[in-house]
Short mmCIF file of all heavy atoms in Angstrom, two decimals:
data_model
loop_
_atom_site.label_atom_id
_atom_site.label_comp_id
_atom_site.label_asym_id
_atom_site.label_seq_id
_atom_site.Cartn_x
_atom_site.Cartn_y
_atom_site.Cartn_z
N MET H 1 18.49 -10.23 -16.46
CA MET H 1 17.36 -10.48 -15.66
C MET H 1 16.88 -12.01 -15.63
O MET H 1 16.91 -12.72 -16.70
CB MET H 1 16.12 -9.60 -16.17
CG MET H 1 14.94 -9.74 -15.21
SD MET H 1 13.80 -8.42 -15.62
CE MET H 1 12.46 -9.33 -16.19
N THR H 2 16.57 -12.53 -14.48
CA THR H 2 16.20 -13.90 -14.47
C THR H 2 14.78 -14.14 -14.79
O THR H 2 13.85 -13.39 -14.19
CB THR H 2 16.56 -14.43 -13.01
OG1 THR H 2 17.94 -14.17 -12.75
CG2 THR H 2 16.22 -15.96 -12.97
N GLU H 3 14.45 -15.12 -15.56
CA GLU H 3 12.99 -15.38 -15.88
C GLU H 3 12.43 -16.30 -14.85
O GLU H 3 13.03 -17.11 -14.18
CB GLU H 3 13.00 -16.16 -17.21
CG GLU H 3 11.60 -16.41 -17.72
CD GLU H 3 10.95 -15.23 -18.15
OE1 GLU H 3 11.38 -14.62 -19.14
OE2 GLU H 3 9.79 -14.99 -17.63
N THR H 4 11.15 -15.90 -14.50
CA THR H 4 10.42 -16.69 -13.54
C THR H 4 9.43 -17.60 -14.27
O THR H 4 8.76 -17.14 -15.21
CB THR H 4 9.60 -15.71 -12.61
OG1 THR H 4 10.58 -14.83 -11.85
CG2 THR H 4 8.83 -16.46 -11.50
N TYR H 5 9.38 -18.86 -13.72
CA TYR H 5 8.53 -19.87 -14.48
C TYR H 5 7.50 -20.18 -13.52
O TYR H 5 7.85 -20.43 -12.28
CB TYR H 5 9.33 -21.06 -14.86
CG TYR H 5 10.31 -20.73 -15.98
CD1 TYR H 5 11.65 -20.37 -15.71
CD2 TYR H 5 9.95 -20.81 -17.31
CE1 TYR H 5 12.53 -20.11 -16.71
CE2 TYR H 5 10.82 -20.55 -18.37
CZ TYR H 5 12.15 -20.14 -17.97
OH TYR H 5 13.00 -19.87 -19.06
N ILE H 6 6.22 -20.49 -13.87
CA ILE H 6 5.23 -20.89 -12.92
C ILE H 6 4.49 -22.20 -13.56
O ILE H 6 4.40 -22.39 -14.75
CB ILE H 6 4.08 -19.87 -12.84
CG1 ILE H 6 3.44 -19.30 -14.07
CG2 ILE H 6 4.76 -18.65 -12.02
CD1 ILE H 6 2.40 -18.35 -13.86
N ALA H 7 3.96 -23.01 -12.59
CA ALA H 7 3.45 -24.27 -12.91
C ALA H 7 2.00 -24.05 -13.21
O ALA H 7 1.36 -23.19 -12.96
CB ALA H 7 3.68 -25.18 -11.72
N ASP H 8 1.40 -25.14 -13.77
CA ASP H 8 -0.08 -25.20 -14.02
C ASP H 8 -0.87 -25.03 -12.79
O ASP H 8 -1.84 -24.34 -12.76
CB ASP H 8 -0.57 -26.47 -14.77
CG ASP H 8 -0.04 -27.76 -14.07
OD1 ASP H 8 0.50 -27.67 -12.97
OD2 ASP H 8 -0.30 -28.87 -14.75
N THR H 9 -0.41 -25.58 -11.62
CA THR H 9 -1.18 -25.39 -10.47
C THR H 9 -1.04 -23.87 -9.94
O THR H 9 -2.05 -23.33 -9.40
CB THR H 9 -0.52 -26.21 -9.28
OG1 THR H 9 0.89 -25.94 -9.17
CG2 THR H 9 -0.85 -27.72 -9.58
N GLN H 10 -0.02 -23.21 -10.23
CA GLN H 10 0.05 -21.77 -9.84
C GLN H 10 -0.85 -20.98 -10.84
O GLN H 10 -1.42 -20.05 -10.30
CB GLN H 10 1.52 -21.34 -10.02
CG GLN H 10 2.40 -21.97 -8.90
CD GLN H 10 3.92 -21.64 -9.16
OE1 GLN H 10 4.38 -22.04 -10.16
NE2 GLN H 10 4.47 -20.98 -8.28
N LEU H 11 -0.75 -21.37 -12.04
CA LEU H 11 -1.72 -20.59 -12.93
C LEU H 11 -3.28 -20.84 -12.56
O LEU H 11 -3.96 -19.96 -12.59
CB LEU H 11 -1.53 -21.05 -14.42
CG LEU H 11 -0.35 -20.42 -15.23
CD1 LEU H 11 -0.34 -21.11 -16.59
CD2 LEU H 11 -0.72 -19.02 -15.32
N ALA H 12 -3.50 -22.05 -12.19
CA ALA H 12 -4.95 -22.38 -11.82
C ALA H 12 -5.33 -21.58 -10.51
O ALA H 12 -6.43 -21.00 -10.49
CB ALA H 12 -4.98 -23.86 -11.59
N ALA H 13 -4.29 -21.51 -9.60
CA ALA H 13 -4.63 -20.63 -8.41
C ALA H 13 -4.88 -19.15 -8.76
O ALA H 13 -5.63 -18.56 -8.23
CB ALA H 13 -3.59 -20.79 -7.34
N ARG H 14 -3.96 -18.66 -9.69
CA ARG H 14 -4.01 -17.39 -10.14
C ARG H 14 -5.35 -16.92 -10.74
O ARG H 14 -5.86 -15.80 -10.41
CB ARG H 14 -2.90 -17.06 -11.12
CG ARG H 14 -2.73 -15.70 -11.59
CD ARG H 14 -1.57 -15.62 -12.65
NE ARG H 14 -1.21 -14.38 -12.94
CZ ARG H 14 -0.14 -13.57 -12.60
NH1 ARG H 14 0.73 -14.18 -11.80
NH2 ARG H 14 0.12 -12.34 -13.05
N TYR H 15 -5.99 -17.79 -11.51
CA TYR H 15 -7.23 -17.56 -12.10
C TYR H 15 -8.50 -18.23 -11.60
O TYR H 15 -9.57 -18.02 -11.98
CB TYR H 15 -7.10 -17.99 -13.62
CG TYR H 15 -6.06 -17.26 -14.35
CD1 TYR H 15 -5.08 -18.02 -14.94
CD2 TYR H 15 -6.03 -15.87 -14.38
CE1 TYR H 15 -3.98 -17.29 -15.70
CE2 TYR H 15 -5.02 -15.20 -15.03
CZ TYR H 15 -4.02 -15.93 -15.71
OH TYR H 15 -2.90 -15.25 -16.31
N GLY H 16 -8.23 -19.08 -10.53
CA GLY H 16 -9.38 -19.68 -9.78
C GLY H 16 -10.06 -20.79 -10.68
O GLY H 16 -11.24 -20.91 -10.65
N VAL H 17 -9.22 -21.56 -11.27
CA VAL H 17 -9.67 -22.60 -12.29
C VAL H 17 -8.91 -23.93 -11.81
O VAL H 17 -8.04 -23.93 -11.21
CB VAL H 17 -9.40 -22.31 -13.69
CG1 VAL H 17 -10.21 -21.03 -14.17
CG2 VAL H 17 -7.87 -22.03 -14.08
N HIS H 18 -9.44 -24.99 -12.53
CA HIS H 18 -8.74 -26.34 -12.35
C HIS H 18 -7.44 -26.28 -13.04
O HIS H 18 -7.26 -25.53 -14.08
CB HIS H 18 -9.69 -27.39 -12.91
CG HIS H 18 -9.23 -28.74 -12.69
ND1 HIS H 18 -8.40 -29.55 -13.38
CD2 HIS H 18 -9.53 -29.58 -11.48
CE1 HIS H 18 -8.14 -30.66 -12.90
NE2 HIS H 18 -8.83 -30.67 -11.69
N ARG H 19 -6.44 -27.10 -12.62
CA ARG H 19 -5.15 -27.18 -13.16
C ARG H 19 -5.06 -27.55 -14.73
O ARG H 19 -4.14 -27.29 -15.33
CB ARG H 19 -4.21 -27.96 -12.32
CG ARG H 19 -4.43 -29.47 -12.34
CD ARG H 19 -3.52 -30.19 -11.56
NE ARG H 19 -2.29 -30.16 -12.25
CZ ARG H 19 -1.28 -31.06 -12.03
NH1 ARG H 19 -1.62 -32.16 -11.20
NH2 ARG H 19 -0.17 -31.05 -12.69
N THR H 20 -6.15 -28.19 -15.22
CA THR H 20 -6.03 -28.61 -16.51
C THR H 20 -6.49 -27.41 -17.55
O THR H 20 -6.31 -27.54 -18.71
CB THR H 20 -7.00 -29.80 -16.78
OG1 THR H 20 -8.31 -29.52 -16.34
CG2 THR H 20 -6.52 -31.06 -16.06
N THR H 21 -7.15 -26.33 -16.94
CA THR H 21 -7.65 -25.34 -17.79
C THR H 21 -6.51 -24.56 -18.43
O THR H 21 -6.72 -24.28 -19.66
CB THR H 21 -8.58 -24.28 -16.89
OG1 THR H 21 -9.63 -25.11 -16.23
CG2 THR H 21 -9.04 -23.26 -17.71
N PRO H 22 -5.39 -24.29 -17.93
CA PRO H 22 -4.39 -23.54 -18.66
C PRO H 22 -3.90 -24.42 -19.87
O PRO H 22 -3.59 -23.90 -20.95
CB PRO H 22 -3.26 -23.32 -17.71
CG PRO H 22 -3.98 -23.34 -16.43
CD PRO H 22 -5.07 -24.20 -16.41
N TRP H 23 -3.95 -25.69 -19.71
CA TRP H 23 -3.53 -26.57 -20.83
C TRP H 23 -4.52 -26.48 -22.01
O TRP H 23 -4.12 -26.47 -23.05
CB TRP H 23 -3.34 -27.96 -20.25
CG TRP H 23 -2.22 -28.22 -19.40
CD1 TRP H 23 -2.22 -28.34 -18.02
CD2 TRP H 23 -0.89 -28.17 -19.79
NE1 TRP H 23 -1.03 -28.47 -17.56
CE2 TRP H 23 -0.07 -28.40 -18.53
CE3 TRP H 23 -0.22 -28.14 -20.88
CZ2 TRP H 23 1.31 -28.48 -18.55
CZ3 TRP H 23 1.23 -28.28 -20.94
CH2 TRP H 23 1.99 -28.41 -19.72
N ARG H 24 -5.80 -26.42 -21.57
CA ARG H 24 -6.83 -26.20 -22.59
C ARG H 24 -6.79 -25.01 -23.29
O ARG H 24 -6.79 -24.85 -24.50
CB ARG H 24 -8.19 -26.48 -21.95
CG ARG H 24 -9.37 -26.43 -22.97
CD ARG H 24 -10.75 -26.62 -22.41
NE ARG H 24 -10.91 -26.32 -20.93
CZ ARG H 24 -11.41 -25.21 -20.56
NH1 ARG H 24 -11.67 -24.14 -21.37
NH2 ARG H 24 -11.53 -24.96 -19.20
N TRP H 25 -6.42 -23.87 -22.46
CA TRP H 25 -6.31 -22.55 -23.09
C TRP H 25 -5.17 -22.53 -24.06
O TRP H 25 -5.30 -21.65 -24.97
CB TRP H 25 -6.02 -21.57 -21.98
CG TRP H 25 -7.17 -21.26 -21.14
CD1 TRP H 25 -8.51 -21.47 -21.38
CD2 TRP H 25 -7.19 -20.59 -19.87
NE1 TRP H 25 -9.31 -21.09 -20.28
CE2 TRP H 25 -8.49 -20.54 -19.32
CE3 TRP H 25 -6.19 -20.05 -19.11
CZ2 TRP H 25 -8.88 -19.85 -18.26
CZ3 TRP H 25 -6.50 -19.42 -17.86
CH2 TRP H 25 -7.90 -19.35 -17.41
N THR H 26 -4.02 -23.28 -24.02
CA THR H 26 -3.06 -23.39 -24.87
C THR H 26 -3.61 -23.74 -26.26
O THR H 26 -2.92 -23.46 -27.36
CB THR H 26 -1.81 -24.24 -24.42
OG1 THR H 26 -2.31 -25.54 -24.42
CG2 THR H 26 -1.25 -23.71 -23.15
N LYS H 27 -4.66 -24.56 -26.27
CA LYS H 27 -5.23 -25.01 -27.50
C LYS H 27 -6.32 -24.16 -28.06
O LYS H 27 -6.57 -24.05 -29.27
CB LYS H 27 -5.70 -26.42 -27.40
CG LYS H 27 -4.52 -27.40 -27.09
CD LYS H 27 -5.10 -28.75 -26.69
CE LYS H 27 -3.92 -29.62 -26.34
NZ LYS H 27 -4.39 -30.88 -25.76
N THR H 28 -7.11 -23.42 -27.18
CA THR H 28 -8.32 -22.77 -27.49
C THR H 28 -8.31 -21.29 -27.50
O THR H 28 -9.07 -20.54 -28.15
CB THR H 28 -9.53 -23.20 -26.67
OG1 THR H 28 -9.29 -22.90 -25.23
CG2 THR H 28 -9.70 -24.80 -26.72
N GLU H 29 -7.37 -20.67 -26.61
CA GLU H 29 -7.29 -19.21 -26.38
C GLU H 29 -6.28 -18.56 -27.31
O GLU H 29 -5.03 -18.92 -27.23
CB GLU H 29 -7.03 -18.84 -25.02
CG GLU H 29 -8.18 -19.16 -24.05
CD GLU H 29 -9.39 -18.35 -24.29
OE1 GLU H 29 -9.25 -17.06 -24.46
OE2 GLU H 29 -10.58 -18.96 -24.23
N THR H 30 -6.63 -17.80 -28.33
CA THR H 30 -5.68 -17.10 -29.12
C THR H 30 -4.72 -16.24 -28.38
O THR H 30 -5.23 -15.44 -27.44
CB THR H 30 -6.39 -16.22 -30.15
OG1 THR H 30 -7.31 -17.10 -30.84
CG2 THR H 30 -5.44 -15.62 -31.16
N GLY H 31 -3.48 -16.57 -28.51
CA GLY H 31 -2.48 -15.63 -27.95
C GLY H 31 -1.99 -16.18 -26.52
O GLY H 31 -1.07 -15.58 -25.88
N PHE H 32 -2.74 -17.14 -26.01
CA PHE H 32 -2.28 -17.65 -24.60
C PHE H 32 -0.95 -18.33 -24.78
O PHE H 32 -0.70 -19.22 -25.75
CB PHE H 32 -3.34 -18.63 -24.05
CG PHE H 32 -3.03 -19.01 -22.83
CD1 PHE H 32 -3.34 -18.22 -21.64
CD2 PHE H 32 -2.32 -20.25 -22.39
CE1 PHE H 32 -3.18 -18.57 -20.25
CE2 PHE H 32 -2.04 -20.57 -20.96
CZ PHE H 32 -2.48 -19.76 -20.08
N PRO H 33 -0.01 -18.01 -23.92
CA PRO H 33 1.39 -18.47 -23.98
C PRO H 33 1.44 -19.92 -23.87
O PRO H 33 0.75 -20.65 -23.27
CB PRO H 33 2.12 -17.86 -22.81
CG PRO H 33 1.30 -16.67 -22.39
CD PRO H 33 -0.13 -17.00 -22.88
N GLN H 34 2.43 -20.47 -24.69
CA GLN H 34 2.73 -21.88 -24.61
C GLN H 34 3.66 -22.19 -23.46
O GLN H 34 4.55 -21.34 -23.30
CB GLN H 34 3.39 -22.32 -26.03
CG GLN H 34 2.41 -22.32 -27.20
CD GLN H 34 1.14 -23.11 -27.06
OE1 GLN H 34 1.31 -24.35 -26.83
NE2 GLN H 34 0.04 -22.60 -27.17
N PRO H 35 3.54 -23.42 -22.89
CA PRO H 35 4.48 -23.71 -21.83
C PRO H 35 5.88 -24.01 -22.38
O PRO H 35 5.95 -24.30 -23.65
CB PRO H 35 3.94 -24.98 -21.26
CG PRO H 35 3.02 -25.54 -22.24
CD PRO H 35 2.55 -24.38 -23.12
N VAL H 36 6.85 -23.95 -21.62
CA VAL H 36 8.23 -24.24 -21.89
C VAL H 36 8.60 -25.45 -21.21
O VAL H 36 8.36 -25.77 -20.07
CB VAL H 36 9.22 -23.10 -21.48
CG1 VAL H 36 10.64 -23.51 -21.70
CG2 VAL H 36 8.83 -21.72 -22.13
N LYS H 37 9.22 -26.53 -22.01
CA LYS H 37 9.58 -27.75 -21.38
C LYS H 37 10.89 -27.54 -20.75
O LYS H 37 11.98 -27.31 -21.57
CB LYS H 37 9.59 -28.89 -22.54
CG LYS H 37 9.71 -30.16 -21.98
CD LYS H 37 9.12 -31.09 -22.88
CE LYS H 37 9.04 -32.60 -22.38
NZ LYS H 37 8.13 -32.86 -21.28
N LEU H 38 10.99 -27.61 -19.50
CA LEU H 38 12.34 -27.50 -18.78
C LEU H 38 13.04 -28.92 -18.60
O LEU H 38 14.22 -28.83 -18.14
CB LEU H 38 12.03 -26.81 -17.36
CG LEU H 38 11.47 -25.42 -17.50
CD1 LEU H 38 11.25 -24.85 -16.21
CD2 LEU H 38 12.34 -24.51 -18.34
N GLY H 39 12.29 -29.92 -18.74
CA GLY H 39 12.88 -31.20 -18.59
C GLY H 39 11.77 -32.22 -18.74
O GLY H 39 10.73 -31.96 -19.12
N PRO H 40 12.15 -33.55 -18.64
CA PRO H 40 11.15 -34.60 -18.74
C PRO H 40 10.09 -34.46 -17.77
O PRO H 40 10.38 -34.22 -16.53
CB PRO H 40 11.89 -35.84 -18.56
CG PRO H 40 13.36 -35.54 -18.43
CD PRO H 40 13.47 -34.17 -18.31
N GLN H 41 8.84 -34.33 -18.24
CA GLN H 41 7.75 -34.21 -17.26
C GLN H 41 7.82 -32.97 -16.47
O GLN H 41 7.27 -32.83 -15.28
CB GLN H 41 7.58 -35.40 -16.44
CG GLN H 41 7.38 -36.70 -17.17
CD GLN H 41 7.17 -38.00 -16.27
OE1 GLN H 41 7.37 -37.85 -15.10
NE2 GLN H 41 6.76 -38.90 -16.83
N CYS H 42 8.36 -31.87 -17.03
CA CYS H 42 8.47 -30.59 -16.31
C CYS H 42 8.27 -29.49 -17.34
O CYS H 42 9.16 -29.05 -17.97
CB CYS H 42 9.76 -30.34 -15.68
SG CYS H 42 9.87 -28.84 -14.72
N SER H 43 6.92 -29.00 -17.28
CA SER H 43 6.67 -27.87 -18.24
C SER H 43 6.22 -26.67 -17.30
O SER H 43 5.44 -26.91 -16.44
CB SER H 43 5.53 -28.19 -19.21
OG SER H 43 5.99 -29.21 -20.08
N ARG H 44 6.48 -25.42 -17.66
CA ARG H 44 6.25 -24.29 -16.96
C ARG H 44 5.96 -23.13 -18.01
O ARG H 44 6.43 -23.20 -19.14
CB ARG H 44 7.35 -23.85 -16.02
CG ARG H 44 7.75 -24.89 -14.87
CD ARG H 44 6.62 -25.08 -13.96
NE ARG H 44 7.15 -25.95 -12.94
CZ ARG H 44 6.89 -27.20 -12.80
NH1 ARG H 44 6.14 -27.74 -13.88
NH2 ARG H 44 7.25 -27.86 -11.77
N TRP H 45 5.24 -22.21 -17.47
CA TRP H 45 4.90 -20.98 -18.26
C TRP H 45 5.90 -19.81 -17.75
O TRP H 45 6.19 -19.75 -16.67
CB TRP H 45 3.46 -20.50 -18.12
CG TRP H 45 2.58 -21.32 -18.96
CD1 TRP H 45 1.98 -20.87 -20.16
CD2 TRP H 45 1.89 -22.54 -18.64
NE1 TRP H 45 1.13 -21.80 -20.58
CE2 TRP H 45 1.09 -22.89 -19.72
CE3 TRP H 45 1.99 -23.43 -17.59
CZ2 TRP H 45 0.39 -24.08 -19.73
CZ3 TRP H 45 1.19 -24.57 -17.55
CH2 TRP H 45 0.41 -24.85 -18.72
N LYS H 46 6.29 -19.08 -18.73
CA LYS H 46 7.04 -17.82 -18.35
C LYS H 46 6.14 -16.81 -17.91
O LYS H 46 5.06 -16.41 -18.43
CB LYS H 46 7.84 -17.19 -19.57
CG LYS H 46 8.84 -18.07 -20.04
CD LYS H 46 9.64 -17.49 -21.27
CE LYS H 46 10.72 -18.23 -21.69
NZ LYS H 46 11.45 -17.56 -22.81
N LEU H 47 6.36 -16.35 -16.57
CA LEU H 47 5.54 -15.37 -15.90
C LEU H 47 5.50 -14.13 -16.77
O LEU H 47 4.41 -13.54 -16.89
CB LEU H 47 6.11 -15.04 -14.41
CG LEU H 47 5.20 -14.03 -13.76
CD1 LEU H 47 3.88 -14.59 -13.49
CD2 LEU H 47 5.90 -13.83 -12.34
N SER H 48 6.50 -13.56 -17.33
CA SER H 48 6.57 -12.46 -18.29
C SER H 48 5.50 -12.58 -19.34
O SER H 48 4.81 -11.58 -19.76
CB SER H 48 7.95 -12.08 -18.73
OG SER H 48 8.37 -13.16 -19.56
N GLU H 49 5.41 -13.86 -19.99
CA GLU H 49 4.47 -13.92 -21.04
C GLU H 49 3.15 -14.05 -20.57
O GLU H 49 2.19 -13.57 -21.30
CB GLU H 49 4.80 -15.33 -21.76
CG GLU H 49 6.20 -15.17 -22.59
CD GLU H 49 6.52 -16.56 -23.34
OE1 GLU H 49 5.63 -17.53 -23.25
OE2 GLU H 49 7.44 -16.54 -23.97
N ILE H 50 2.85 -14.61 -19.37
CA ILE H 50 1.53 -14.64 -18.86
C ILE H 50 1.05 -13.24 -18.45
O ILE H 50 -0.14 -12.79 -18.89
CB ILE H 50 1.52 -15.40 -17.56
CG1 ILE H 50 1.68 -16.94 -17.85
CG2 ILE H 50 0.20 -15.34 -16.73
CD1 ILE H 50 0.58 -17.60 -18.72
N GLU H 51 1.98 -12.35 -17.95
CA GLU H 51 1.57 -11.04 -17.63
C GLU H 51 1.35 -10.25 -18.87
O GLU H 51 0.39 -9.39 -18.86
CB GLU H 51 2.71 -10.37 -16.73
CG GLU H 51 2.65 -10.93 -15.33
CD GLU H 51 3.99 -10.42 -14.54
OE1 GLU H 51 4.97 -10.03 -15.16
OE2 GLU H 51 3.88 -10.59 -13.26
N ALA H 52 2.05 -10.43 -19.88
CA ALA H 52 1.84 -9.77 -21.17
C ALA H 52 0.50 -10.23 -21.80
O ALA H 52 -0.28 -9.32 -22.35
CB ALA H 52 2.96 -9.99 -22.17
N TRP H 53 0.06 -11.40 -21.58
CA TRP H 53 -1.19 -11.85 -22.12
C TRP H 53 -2.25 -11.32 -21.26
O TRP H 53 -3.31 -10.79 -21.87
CB TRP H 53 -1.17 -13.42 -22.08
CG TRP H 53 -2.49 -14.04 -22.42
CD1 TRP H 53 -3.03 -14.23 -23.73
CD2 TRP H 53 -3.56 -14.56 -21.64
NE1 TRP H 53 -4.19 -14.79 -23.75
CE2 TRP H 53 -4.58 -14.96 -22.39
CE3 TRP H 53 -3.60 -14.57 -20.14
CZ2 TRP H 53 -5.77 -15.49 -21.84
CZ3 TRP H 53 -4.77 -15.15 -19.75
CH2 TRP H 53 -5.83 -15.59 -20.53
N GLU H 54 -2.02 -11.16 -20.06
CA GLU H 54 -3.12 -10.60 -19.15
C GLU H 54 -3.31 -9.09 -19.61
O GLU H 54 -4.46 -8.67 -19.64
CB GLU H 54 -2.72 -10.65 -17.68
CG GLU H 54 -2.77 -11.97 -17.04
CD GLU H 54 -2.16 -12.05 -15.61
OE1 GLU H 54 -1.52 -11.14 -15.23
OE2 GLU H 54 -2.34 -13.13 -15.02
N LYS H 55 -2.28 -8.37 -19.95
CA LYS H 55 -2.36 -6.98 -20.33
C LYS H 55 -3.19 -6.84 -21.53
O LYS H 55 -4.03 -5.99 -21.77
CB LYS H 55 -0.93 -6.39 -20.48
CG LYS H 55 -0.94 -4.94 -20.77
CD LYS H 55 0.32 -4.32 -20.82
CE LYS H 55 0.43 -2.85 -21.22
NZ LYS H 55 -0.74 -2.16 -21.68
N THR H 56 -2.91 -7.82 -22.57
CA THR H 56 -3.69 -7.75 -23.86
C THR H 56 -5.20 -7.95 -23.56
O THR H 56 -6.04 -7.36 -24.18
CB THR H 56 -3.32 -8.67 -24.90
OG1 THR H 56 -3.42 -10.08 -24.33
CG2 THR H 56 -1.73 -8.54 -25.19
N ARG H 57 -5.42 -8.97 -22.56
CA ARG H 57 -6.89 -9.16 -22.23
C ARG H 57 -7.55 -8.01 -21.49
O ARG H 57 -8.72 -7.63 -21.72
CB ARG H 57 -7.01 -10.46 -21.21
CG ARG H 57 -6.42 -11.71 -21.93
CD ARG H 57 -7.27 -12.18 -22.95
NE ARG H 57 -8.54 -12.65 -22.26
CZ ARG H 57 -9.53 -13.19 -22.88
NH1 ARG H 57 -9.45 -13.31 -24.20
NH2 ARG H 57 -10.67 -13.44 -22.31
N ALA H 58 -6.81 -7.25 -20.62
CA ALA H 58 -7.28 -6.11 -20.00
C ALA H 58 -7.58 -5.04 -20.98
O ALA H 58 -8.71 -4.25 -20.86
CB ALA H 58 -6.28 -5.63 -18.96
N ASP H 59 -6.82 -4.91 -22.06
CA ASP H 59 -7.00 -3.97 -23.12
C ASP H 59 -8.31 -4.16 -23.91
O ASP H 59 -8.93 -3.27 -24.36
CB ASP H 59 -5.79 -3.77 -24.02
CG ASP H 59 -4.53 -3.24 -23.35
OD1 ASP H 59 -4.59 -2.64 -22.24
OD2 ASP H 59 -3.50 -3.40 -23.91
N VAL H 60 -8.59 -5.48 -24.02
CA VAL H 60 -9.88 -5.89 -24.70
C VAL H 60 -11.07 -5.44 -23.95
O VAL H 60 -12.19 -5.07 -24.48
CB VAL H 60 -9.72 -7.37 -25.14
CG1 VAL H 60 -11.07 -7.72 -25.78
CG2 VAL H 60 -8.65 -7.54 -26.16
N ASP H 61 -11.08 -5.88 -22.53
CA ASP H 61 -12.25 -5.72 -21.75
C ASP H 61 -12.63 -4.32 -21.41
O ASP H 61 -12.26 -3.30 -21.73
CB ASP H 61 -11.95 -6.43 -20.36
CG ASP H 61 -11.87 -7.92 -20.61
OD1 ASP H 61 -12.36 -8.41 -21.61
OD2 ASP H 61 -11.25 -8.52 -19.74
#
């Protein structure tokens, strides 16, 4: 199965926040997935990890 990667701008649009917010969450939100460095100046999040994190958040709410 091929992994899908999403950018900070896509995460921001997904949650309706500024594009710097996911970066802040990597430091402040327990369990928020860390980005994967795909190359120089290219970091992305694994969609599967984001969806798993969302599921844990849904279970808490």
Side-chain angles (χ1 to χ4, degrees):
M1 186 166 115
T2 304
E3 185 68 58
T4 301
Y5 295 91
I6 57 177
D8 55 1
T9 53
Q10 293 170 298
L11 275 177
R14 185 179 187 106
Y15 301 121
V17 296
H18 192 270
R19 70 179 288 206
T20 59
T21 302
W23 292 102
R24 182 170 33 88
W25 288 345
T26 63
K27 297 174 185 169
T28 62
E29 292 293 318
T30 302
F32 190 77
Q34 295 295 310
V36 176
K37 192 152 184 78
L38 299 178
Q41 299 183 350
C42 182
S43 295
R44 300 290 186 264
W45 280 263
K46 290 183 179 181
L47 181 59
S48 61
E49 291 180 0
I50 293 297
E51 290 172 339
W53 177 77
E54 289 172 348
K55 185 174 178 354
T56 65
R57 299 289 294 177
D59 292 344
V60 171
D61 294 338

